[in-house]
Amino acid sequence: MNHEKYMQIAIDLAKKGCGWVNPNPMVGAVIVKDNEIIGSGYHQKYGELHAERNAIADCKVPITGATLFVTLEPCCHYGKTPPCTEAIIESGISKVVIGSKDPNVLVSGKGMAILKDHGIEVVTGVLTEECSELNQVFFHYIKKKTPFVVLKYAMTLDGKIATFTGKSKWITGETAREFVHQSRHRYAAIMVGVNTVIADDPLLTSRLPNTKNPTRIICDTHLRVPLSSKIIQTAREIPTIIATSCKDKEKIEQLTQFGCTLLQVPKENGCTDLKQLMRRLGEEHIDSILLEGGSTLNFSALENGIVNKVQAYIAPKIFGGETAKTPVGGIGINEVSQAFSLKNRKITILGDDILLEYDVEEGI
């Protein structure tokens, strides 16, 4: 039996849950008997049945003696749904092939142990790297209790995010912009600074069909966000969080009436304490953030160690201009040795543009 072949099918199934299962992991499952797939399923939406139970329910022939391929160790605790280990044991499945171990302390190793205790053969190490990459966000969130933060920006080949007059639409082409909207669906939230709201008046939504909008987060230390902005005007339809240290009761009440959620976060060096904000957002079950801030917020996020991944969209254009903004501003670093180090390069061609993705060496 080709373990890699069936695990890859399970991985492809798991990806269908992207954006719908947060803060749960994406999981796919395939049941094979006599070298034929007799059932398959994936975790479709947060709070609904897990992949293993959906695959078992999909079987139309007897399962006894079959092999289950699943991208993540089956859960063995009661949460929104009953333990998947129970369903596997009751089904008569005789062998379970697992892609990656679940780092959740409620599961980690325990799911496999329970299956073995009931006489089920357990195989691990099949496409583990691919299965782990699938749930990079979940693995971070379950261990750190803070959101996985992706710093995203689009720039020209000479490193500019706008012309010297502030014009930035559009740096990248349609294919790249569509990919950004897919990311807005994938991650639980999108975060910007108040200056971006004032300057651009964005909606920060996903405009592709069959996608969800991310929760919108505005870092606004002094509550300068205009009530007339598109984000505030649509806060009743799309979850919107404003992180602030301002105690202006009148402005807070106005924003609340528009449907915004206000998070009081202390200041650090005169600005929103981003580390504390991440802890607060983690408590709100936000497992991931697409950071589309301006250069000042981008540097602050890197400086505070909250960034886990960088996505740089590069267009074949040159703007020039000494005063034209670059993706990361702030005060910058003093020495080359202090640079923020990146690893695990990934390159994606998007029409005429290039997407470079890196993991940040250190993050919270």
Side-chain angles (χ1 to χ4, degrees):
M1 186 180 293
N2 189 330
H3 286 185
E4 287 76 15
K5 169 188 171 182
Y6 295 117
M7 187 62 74
Q8 185 59 57
I9 293 172
I11 290 172
D12 293 339
L13 283 168
K15 291 178 181 178
K16 292 184 177 182
C18 180
W20 301 111
V21 300
N22 309 61
N24 278 356
M26 290 181 275
V27 184
V30 174
I31 299 175
V32 179
K33 189 173 183 179
D34 298 326
N35 288 315
E36 288 189 8
I37 296 175
I38 61 172
S40 62
Y42 65 99
H43 185 29
Q44 298 179 13
K45 192 173 182 181
Y46 176 70
E48 295 185 358
L49 291 178
H50 290 182
E52 299 93 325
R53 289 182 176 271
N54 282 330
I56 290 170
D58 186 53
C59 291
K60 302 299 188 294
V61 299
I63 305 176
T64 303
T67 298
L68 168 68
F69 292 83
V70 61
T71 57
L72 186 68
E73 179 181 3
C75 66
C76 55
H77 65 289
Y78 282 87
K80 291 282 184 181
T81 59
C84 288
T85 49
E86 287 186 0
I88 294 169
I89 293 165
E90 293 169 359
S91 71
I93 286 171
S94 62
K95 181 177 179 179
V96 177
V97 181
I98 297 170
S100 58
K101 185 178 177 181
D102 193 334
N104 188 342
V105 293
L106 297 174
V107 181
S108 188
K110 300 182 181 70
M112 292 187 287
I114 289 173
L115 295 176
K116 291 177 182 177
D117 288 345
H118 285 80
I120 296 174
E121 181 184 355
V122 175
V123 176
T124 59
V126 179
L127 297 186
T128 298
E129 185 176 339
E130 292 85 345
C131 290
S132 296
E133 182 181 359
L134 188 67
N135 285 306
Q136 190 178 31
V137 166
F138 172 73
F139 286 3
H140 169 88
Y141 179 68
I142 204 69
K143 290 186 285 188
K144 302 289 187 179
K145 309 301 182 188
T146 58
F148 184 90
V149 178
V150 179
L151 169 58
K152 167 262 169 187
Y153 53 82
M155 69 179 188
T156 59
L157 198 57
D158 59 334
K160 306 298 183 180
I161 60 173
T163 66
F164 78 94
T165 60
K167 302 296 191 299
S168 61
K169 294 183 180 179
W170 296 101
I171 290 178
T172 54
E174 187 175 333
T175 302
R177 297 201 299 274
E178 181 176 309
F179 199 86
V180 170
H181 284 280
Q182 291 174 0
S183 293
R184 290 183 177 185
H185 165 73
R186 176 181 182 180
Y187 299 113
I190 183 170
M191 187 167 81
V192 298
V194 67
N195 287 333
T196 295
V197 178
I198 293 172
D200 300 337
D201 194 20
L203 264 175
L204 303 180
T205 55
S206 175
R207 293 158 205 170
L208 299 177
N210 303 315
T211 59
K212 64 164 181 53
N213 289 316
T215 295
R216 302 174 301 189
I217 303 166
I218 305 172
C219 293
D220 187 4
T221 306
H222 305 292
L223 282 187
R224 296 187 295 123
V225 62
L227 297 178
S228 59
S229 63
K230 293 176 184 176
I231 288 179
I232 304 305
Q233 291 293 316
T234 57
R236 291 190 183 92
E237 291 78 48
I238 305 169
T240 303
I241 296 173
I242 300 178
T244 186
S245 58
C246 180
K247 300 294 181 22
D248 185 334
K249 292 183 179 179
E250 182 180 352
K251 188 69 177 283
I252 290 173
E253 184 177 347
Q254 289 174 327
L255 290 167
T256 302
Q257 288 176 349
F258 273 104
C260 299
T261 298
L262 278 290
L263 279 186
Q264 287 291 331
V265 181
K267 288 189 286 187
E268 178 72 21
N269 297 324
C271 299
T272 301
D273 186 334
L274 293 179
K275 289 183 180 179
Q276 181 63 27
L277 175 58
M278 292 304 106
R279 287 189 282 269
R280 293 289 304 278
L281 293 173
E283 292 169 358
E284 297 293 326
H285 305 294
I286 291 177
D287 69 347
S288 51
I289 294 173
L290 186 64
L291 176 57
E292 293 196 22
S295 63
T296 300
L297 180 58
N298 289 348
F299 178 75
S300 182
L302 286 164
E303 187 179 35
N304 279 276
I306 70 166
V307 179
N308 303 101
K309 182 184 285 290
V310 174
Q311 290 184 334
Y313 292 81
I314 304 173
K317 299 173 182 176
I318 293 177
F319 284 173
E322 291 182 0
T323 60
K325 289 186 177 181
T326 58
V328 182
I331 191 172
I333 60 169
N334 292 323
E335 304 289 342
V336 173
S337 61
Q338 297 173 334
F340 304 104
S341 297
L342 309 176
K343 61 182 181 180
N344 301 331
R345 180 190 65 224
K346 180 180 179 182
I347 302 174
T348 305
I349 305 300
L350 299 167
D352 293 330
D353 306 312
I354 296 173
L355 169 60
L356 290 178
E357 295 181 88
Y358 290 91
D359 294 327
V360 179
E361 284 282 6
E362 293 183 3
I364 62 171

